[in-house]
Amino acid sequence: MVQECVGEPSPQRQPGGRQILELSPFCRGPETDAALRSSSRNPLGAPDDHSSTSTMVTRLALMLALIVGLAPVLSYLTYSHTRIASQLESSLKIQALALGDFITAQPGTWDVAPDRLLGSMDRYLPRGDGFTVLDGQGRSVLRIDSTLRGPFIARSRTIYALGQARGSIEGRVSVFNELLLGLVVFGTSLVCVWLLWGPIRGLPLAALAVADRNLKARDRYQRALLNNFPFLVWLKDVDSRYLAVNTKFLEVIGHPSEDTLIGKADADIAHPKWASILRNEGQDGALDSQPRRMEEWTEVNGQRRCFEIYKSLVSLDDHVVGTVGYAQDITPRKQDEEELVFRALHDPLTGLANRSLCMDRITQANERALHRNGPGFAVIFMDLDRFKAVNDSLGHEAGDELLREVGTRLAACARRMDTVCRYGGDEFTLVLEGMSPRQTMRTIKRIRESLNEPVLIGAHEMRLKASYGVIYAPVEGSSPEDLLRNANIALHQAKHRGRNRVVVFKASMHETAIQMMSLQGEMRQGLAAGEFFMVYQTVFSLEDNSITGFEALMRWRHPQRGLVPPSEFIALAEESGFIFELGHFALAHACKDMAALLRTMPEAKNLSMSVNLSPRQFSRQGLTDQIRHALEDNCLQPSALMLEITESSMMRYPTASAHILARLKAKGVGIAIDDFGTGYSSMSALQRLPLDRLKIDMSFVEGMTESIGGREIVRAIITLAHSLHLQTVAEGIETEAQQLLLRELGCDLGQGYLCSQPMEMADLPAAIRKGTRAKVA
């Protein structure tokens, strides 16, 4: 290669005394650049490998020369020694056989003269050598020594006569001439080595040494890299024998070292479970070049662990030469996945199955029941009665503790094959497989008895009651969602019938539920369309039959159903929460109509308007503000408004009720306790309530004329009210006898169909002017 040079080389001296030649940048070829790149790897001026490589090459060449020179000499001498020793052995053997014929039967004696023996020896032994003949006592019989120069080879042979050892013969052969010839061969070899010295030094020994060093370094690097992998790695040949593994593999398998493992099969080094995991196959059979993934559980150091395993074939020149695999311990990840699955399918508070798992279990139970004969299964929907009182009085932590205790008791009453689910809030669901209706009722009986056992929450001991809705399955054409829905419908029926009951679902219940749901939607539409309106029933004095006020009652004029009575929609509105809209409507319209009467009729100035508050309205925040706005919007004096609240609503939380009523009373409105006698009022609680009126429930008015006991109950209620300075109002007066008896007992006011039926607003002025009165005999 021709290089064009511009400029002259400039010698410089490096630190340390070494002189280097700096080339002009315009006088460089590929070889020069390669050399410069090589030298640039050592920028600190440290000694490079060139001098050490040259010394190593010289030593290797010298060793090769010695080997080439000495190998022929040693080979020749070895061959000569073997050849001479073999010839001597053969000669002595023949001579020993020949001498045996000359020996007499007498030990230690010979029957031939030495000269005759000597002639016999000369025929079999070459000249220049020597021999000695010994008798049986080791005495020399004949000895001939030729001129032996230098080293010699000696051999001996036993002489036998008539089957017995009679003596021995020893032979000696000189190897002096062989040594001389070996030196000649050695000299010739040195001359050849000298002539070949140049070619030997030209061999790529340095490159081979560097390559060997690089191979060893790369092997150490690969080994370190392999051992630093955080997972198991192995390489096997086509016969499933190990070629290489890393330290993590040895640690997990429990094998002492790689050296004792290489070349062995799976069955020789591992537990049978590990052997099946490490075999040269995937879970679905033969492997291919694409990694096959699998997951296996096994034991490691007494602990159950899960491994994610990948295996694939290793090919070289289109030929499969083995398999490679690696495995990673994914136990923490699997445990996290299992925890997530558990949380997704179980209630975090009680640990019971949640709604999703419940639906899945119902689906499975339904499929099994449809494909087998015998008992089906039952779905029980359970709801704790009056659980809200626990949360409101003791706090939500106490409520959570109570729910956990209920979950524990339900699980104890069920079998292992059954499913106990917390559906939400204080609702629980049970799926009982393979049970007849009678067995289902026995299970419910055990649950009720278990819940009736005292539960200690903090310092409070309580006994629980619940309502139950039951449906027996499978039902043709019903999906799992249908089954659960129907059980819930039966549960609501149990609550409507008085709680703490068990109701089994019937098809008619579903139809009723659909009608109620339809009615709920129609109520909202009806309120927006103006289908609801108010009617008013007079409240009159039993003493002179004069009108003292009105009670506002709501009615619904449905476009298809006609006039819908309150008994059909009030309870539904209370349950659905629509009662707040209806209650606001009733309060606003009653105040508006009363204000209109007072503006247009001076005769109505002493009258009052009574408006009913539902239990949910009474317990809702903002009631006081709602009443204040209704009065202010219509410029109505608070004294003209009387609020009627049922006894059960007040007595559920008497202390809280007293505070609410006190705020209402402070606004100036009147307070009446409605349906008195149907609840469980305590005298002390009743005394603390800021009441104005006490309304006697119509059930007592009806029974008053039928028995003396009924009359005495009414007398006691009137006496109690007067002792608390409360007016009494008797509801549902329909006969003159009832009116007369109430007057005799001292009742103050009354209302009922005897006086008048409910009237619309347009009819009130006429009724006030006429002074509508009940007819008295």
Side-chain angles (χ1 to χ4, degrees), residues 14-209:
Q14 278 188 329
R18 288 197 302 166
Q19 190 176 14
I20 63 172
L21 190 66
E22 178 69 18
L23 296 179
S24 169
F26 300 101
C27 186
R28 292 180 182 173
E31 294 84 0
T32 306
D33 290 338
L36 290 175
R37 285 195 300 269
S38 176
S39 64
S40 67
R41 300 192 189 103
N42 196 5
L44 298 180
D48 55 21
D49 293 337
H50 180 70
S51 59
S52 60
T53 303
S54 301
T55 303
M56 182 181 66
V57 171
T58 302
R59 291 175 180 173
L60 289 176
L62 181 59
M63 291 176 60
L64 182 60
L66 292 176
I67 292 173
V68 172
L70 290 177
V73 178
L74 295 176
S75 299
Y76 175 76
L77 293 178
T78 302
Y79 168 73
S80 298
H81 181 278
T82 304
R83 177 177 54 80
I84 294 173
S86 177
Q87 290 178 356
L88 181 58
E89 285 283 347
S90 301
S91 299
L92 289 178
K93 180 177 180 181
I94 297 173
Q95 188 63 40
L97 292 174
L99 290 175
D101 297 336
F102 296 96
I103 300 175
T104 63
Q106 297 298 324
T109 62
W110 302 82
D111 59 353
V112 293
D115 56 347
R116 185 180 175 186
L117 188 61
L118 181 60
S120 176
M121 297 299 100
D122 286 339
R123 282 192 315 223
Y124 298 102
L125 295 177
R127 290 188 179 277
D129 297 334
F131 67 90
T132 302
V133 179
L134 304 174
D135 63 9
Q137 282 75 33
R139 295 171 297 189
S140 177
V141 176
L142 178 64
R143 180 183 180 89
I144 297 178
D145 289 318
S146 299
T147 302
L148 295 176
R149 291 175 298 177
F152 59 87
I153 298 174
R155 293 289 186 272
S156 64
R157 194 78 183 185
T158 303
I159 302 172
Y160 289 89
L162 301 178
Q164 294 184 356
R166 301 299 183 179
S168 62
I169 179 172
E170 296 178 353
R172 297 174 295 280
V173 179
S174 174
V175 294
F176 180 75
N177 294 333
E178 306 295 334
L179 290 176
L180 289 177
L181 185 56
L183 291 175
V184 173
V185 173
F186 179 68
T188 304
S189 299
L190 289 179
V191 173
C192 294
V193 169
W194 180 259
L195 294 175
L196 296 174
W197 178 260
I200 291 176
R201 291 200 62 181
L203 293 176
L205 298 177
L208 292 175

